[in-house]
Amino acid sequence: MAEVTRESMEYDVVIVGAGPAGLSAAIRLKQIDPELEVVVLEKGSEVGAHILSGAVLDTKGLDALIPDWKDRGAPIKVPVKKDNFYVLGEAGALRVPNWPMPPLMNNHGNYIVSMGNVCRWMAEQAEEMGVEVFPGMAASEIVWDKDANGQDRVAGVVAGEFGRNSDGTEGPGYEPGMELRGKYVMLGEGVRGSLAKVIMEKFNLSDGHCPQKFGLGMKEIWEIDPAKHREGTVTHTMGWPLGKNAGGGSFIYHLENNQVYVGFVVHLNYQNPHLYPYMEFQRFKHHPMVAELLEGGKRVAYGARAISEGGWQSIPKVTAPGAVLLGCSAGLVNVPRIKGNHNAMLSGIAAAEAAAAAIKAGRAGDDLVEYEEDLRSGPIAEDLKKVRNVKPMWSKWGLLPSLVFGGLDMWTNDLFGFSLFGTLKHGKSDAAATGEAAKFKPIDYPKPDGKLSFDRLTNVSFSNTNHEESQPCHLHLKDPSVPISVNLPKFDEPAQRYCPAGVYEVIGEGADAKFQINFQNCVHCKTCDIKDPSQNINWTTPQGGDGPNYPNM
């Protein structure tokens, strides 16, 4: 393939991803120095189109960035009024009282929000300050340069390439995209970002840290009977239907306009390859407590996204020559609180302050060690260190012991600043945790009823997902033979089940079996890149503007 010639644009800082982390960085850079040239690239068709989060927002990040956000009309209107936690059985529920929980678990003072709408509003604030925000511009490659010592450094990204044919050749309307170069590049791509993966591997950023752990979060928006709606109510559950098959739980958040967010998270370190996370979510809605709430209502939106769950132990080195990792690209989610947006914003602020100071000092393209130091010692560290043992306890000991000992650990950390358990380590990666199919029983899932539960493809239509079908498939198989020759006989090819959008299918049987990739369905959750037991799937970005178009997630 001939080398592509591209035009180039120069900026002080190039930011990939218009999520809470990237937009916070852009705004903070302009607050410090309005003369800085800052660009934000967003692969979604508009800002917020690919944002999916619970979300109950802890506003500490936004308070630090834009203290007068209320006066500026931020779409943050529903304070948490009631906080419920249940352990579910198949037919009943046991409410866990709030009083034994450490103060950090209290949701009062937080807000139920659509993070997509919050990001849309943040983008408006950024643009008013002079930030260039380009939606529909997927950053597909790293632009490399050499430092004074001849070592590779990140110099920018390639964005806006369109019009390749399915075989990778240039189509009649081919546009090569542009090189957007910066003194520093900030990657806020979210979980398992495609460019972040390249940089992490090249510079060995995960060395000395636990492997990142992940969950798959699936979410529906429901409009329910006004008589059942309780604005400001937050409910979390654990237990049924997952039981001992997997860790995870649910959330139900009552926002305004008689709508509720109904979400379900499955930890991706499950062993049984027959587990079908999407169907676990659909089965959950038939629990009497949930069914009673949703009956008579209608589902209006659906989406899915992987969640970083490794916490403090799994945060990689977040700086490389010329680049930094922000937010979920660095894995800054507080797992027991089910919150990461505040830390994403704080990471963007810290990175911006480090970059602005470096640029003022005449630096460019080096390692922003000041950002790393802030993350390891500042408010993000304070938030994540307190809860660092909850996830490994859950993985090693199961639900009930982790509730007891995890609660004790959070209390001692909150009150005295230390842990009786030290810092527990995570085990193997989520892909390596997958067991062989012959060692586990298949799980019989009830057929969706079309009222409370739905088949995958019907639900995907409620994510407004679209991909130009003539482009190359963005889901790359390192070895095309592996799904049928290895994953099917050994693991019953779990891609058929772990994907929440029905992207992967095995067609036919025996010698006629074929592996089919329906990339048009992809909602960009990245689960395949994480959970494939052979680590044979590489998720890369499709052309800009493609993918889901979430309206209110």
Side-chain angles (χ1 to χ4, degrees):
M1 193 180 295
E3 186 173 339
V4 177
T5 302
R6 296 183 172 93
E7 294 182 8
S8 175
M9 294 182 67
E10 297 284 341
Y11 291 88
D12 290 303
V13 179
V14 175
I15 300 171
V16 180
L23 291 169
S24 294
I27 291 168
R28 186 67 186 126
L29 284 162
K30 282 292 192 178
Q31 288 173 338
I32 295 170
D33 184 356
E35 299 304 313
L36 288 172
E37 296 291 332
V38 181
V39 64
V40 178
L41 306 171
E42 168 55 42
K43 67 181 174 65
S45 60
E46 63 169 348
V47 173
H50 290 180
I51 298 293
L52 187 146
S53 183
V56 172
L57 178 66
D58 177 341
T59 63
K60 68 176 61 173
L62 194 57
D63 293 338
L65 183 69
I66 307 175
D68 60 342
W69 54 265
K70 286 185 180 179
D71 296 334
R72 293 186 180 219
I76 303 173
K77 307 292 186 184
V78 182
V80 174
K81 298 175 183 175
K82 190 174 183 180
D83 211 357
N84 302 318
F85 184 81
Y86 292 90
V87 177
L88 300 186
E90 186 168 358
L94 174 66
R95 181 172 180 187
V96 178
N98 291 41
W99 62 262
M101 297 186 186
L104 62 88
M105 295 294 290
N106 190 341
N107 272 311
H108 291 280
N110 300 327
Y111 291 79
I112 301 171
V113 301
S114 158
M115 280 310 297
N117 291 338
V118 170
C119 288
R120 290 179 178 99
W121 174 82
M122 290 179 70
E124 292 172 1
Q125 310 307 302
E127 287 180 315
E128 288 176 5
M129 302 174 78
V131 175
E132 295 183 33
V133 181
F134 295 149
M137 291 282 279
S140 54
E141 295 178 39
I142 298 288
V143 176
W144 299 99
D145 207 340
K146 300 289 185 181
D147 64 17
N149 299 315
Q151 301 299 310
D152 286 338
R153 71 173 181 87
V154 177
V157 298
V158 174
E161 186 178 38
F162 290 90
R164 287 195 180 275
N165 296 318
S166 59
D167 62 0
T169 58
E170 297 173 9
Y174 176 69
E175 297 178 17
M178 298 187 68
E179 289 187 357
L180 292 100
R181 291 174 167 264
K183 296 180 175 71
Y184 296 99
V185 174
M186 298 184 176
L187 299 180
E189 300 172 288
V191 174
R192 200 77 165 189
S194 51
L195 299 185
K197 281 193 305 179
V198 172
I199 290 175
M200 289 174 71
E201 183 175 348
K202 182 176 181 64
F203 294 105
N204 301 312
L205 299 187
S206 292
D207 284 4
H209 305 279
C210 287
Q212 186 58 263
K213 309 296 287 182
F214 298 93
L216 169 59
M218 297 157 284
K219 177 180 175 182
E220 296 171 354
I221 303 177
W222 280 71
E223 291 179 357
I224 66 168
D225 181 346
K228 301 176 183 178
H229 187 252
R230 302 290 182 267
E231 184 175 300
T233 296
V234 165
T235 299
H236 293 105
T237 78
M238 301 167 74
W240 190 87
L242 291 173
K244 294 181 179 180
N245 284 325
S250 81
F251 59 85
I252 301 173
Y253 302 154
H254 291 242
L255 60 158
E256 65 264 69
N257 302 321
N258 299 315
Q259 289 192 335
V260 294
Y261 294 146
V262 182
F264 198 79
V265 177
V266 177
H267 299 172
L268 289 177
N269 62 352
Y270 63 83
Q271 294 181 314
N272 186 346
H274 301 295
L275 189 82
Y276 195 160
Y278 174 84
M279 290 306 298
E280 296 285 350
F281 176 30
Q282 299 307 301
R283 184 160 62 167
F284 158 75
K285 290 181 291 176
H286 287 272
H287 188 277
M289 184 180 81
V290 185
E292 190 279 330
L293 175 70
L294 300 181
E295 281 173 354
K298 63 177 181 179
R299 170 263 285 118
V300 297
Y302 167 74
R305 192 74 174 91
I307 305 165
S308 60
E309 294 186 338
W312 181 252
Q313 298 91 315
S314 298
I315 299 173
K317 185 175 182 289
V318 295
T319 65
V324 299
L325 306 179
L326 305 178
C328 283
S329 287
L332 305 182
V333 172
N334 184 313
V335 173
R337 297 185 71 204
I338 322 178
K339 291 177 179 58
N341 290 304
H342 62 299
N343 284 336
M345 293 179 183
L346 291 170
S347 74
I349 293 169
E353 291 173 349
I359 292 169
K360 186 176 180 180
R363 292 161 50 193
D366 60 345
D367 223 321
L368 279 174
V369 294
E370 299 87 351
Y371 168 52
E372 181 90 31
E373 291 167 359
D374 185 290
L375 189 148
R376 301 285 174 187
S377 62
I380 294 172
E382 181 182 358
D383 185 64
L384 295 181
K385 279 185 177 180
K386 292 178 180 179
V387 302
R388 65 189 182 275
N389 289 324
V390 173
K391 170 66 175 178
M393 283 178 176
W394 197 342
S395 299
K396 296 173 190 294
W397 303 338
L399 173 57
L400 293 180
S402 70
L403 281 176
V404 175
F405 293 110
L408 173 64
D409 194 53
M410 287 190 287
W411 266 113
T412 59
N413 273 286
D414 204 44
L415 291 175
F416 309 115
F418 76 90
S419 169
L420 296 171
F421 301 91
T423 298
L424 301 178
K425 302 296 184 183
H426 294 300
K428 59 187 75 173
S429 72
D430 293 334
T434 311
E436 296 184 15
K439 297 179 180 179
F440 297 89
K441 291 182 179 180
I443 302 172
D444 183 23
Y445 289 99
K447 185 178 179 181
D449 68 356
K451 297 177 181 178
L452 292 178
S453 51
F454 313 96
D455 67 83
R456 273 188 303 190
L457 295 186
T458 298
N459 238 358
V460 168
S461 70
F462 281 78
S463 68
N464 301 305
T465 294
N466 182 64
H467 292 85
E468 170 55 53
E469 296 189 15
S470 64
Q471 68 182 297
C473 175
H474 64 282
L475 304 162
H476 298 170
L477 299 180
K478 299 172 187 176
D479 181 344
S481 71
V482 163
I484 300 302
S485 66
V486 178
N487 284 359
L488 186 59
K490 191 172 183 180
F491 304 104
D492 194 27
E493 185 44 271
Q496 302 174 92
R497 292 173 294 281
Y498 60 58
C499 174
V503 169
Y504 302 100
E505 291 183 274
V506 174
I507 307 296
E509 297 180 356
D512 296 325
K514 295 180 180 179
F515 190 64
Q516 180 166 304
I517 302 177
N518 306 304
F519 77 87
Q520 301 90 337
N521 297 349
C522 180
V523 294
H524 298 197
C525 74
K526 316 290 183 65
T527 302
C528 56
D529 195 298
I530 296 162
K531 187 59 177 173
D532 179 64
S534 299
Q535 285 294 273
N536 189 51
I537 301 174
N538 183 35
W539 195 100
T540 64
T541 186
Q543 66 183 23
D546 288 3
N549 285 278
Y550 296 135
N552 195 33
M553 289 290 197

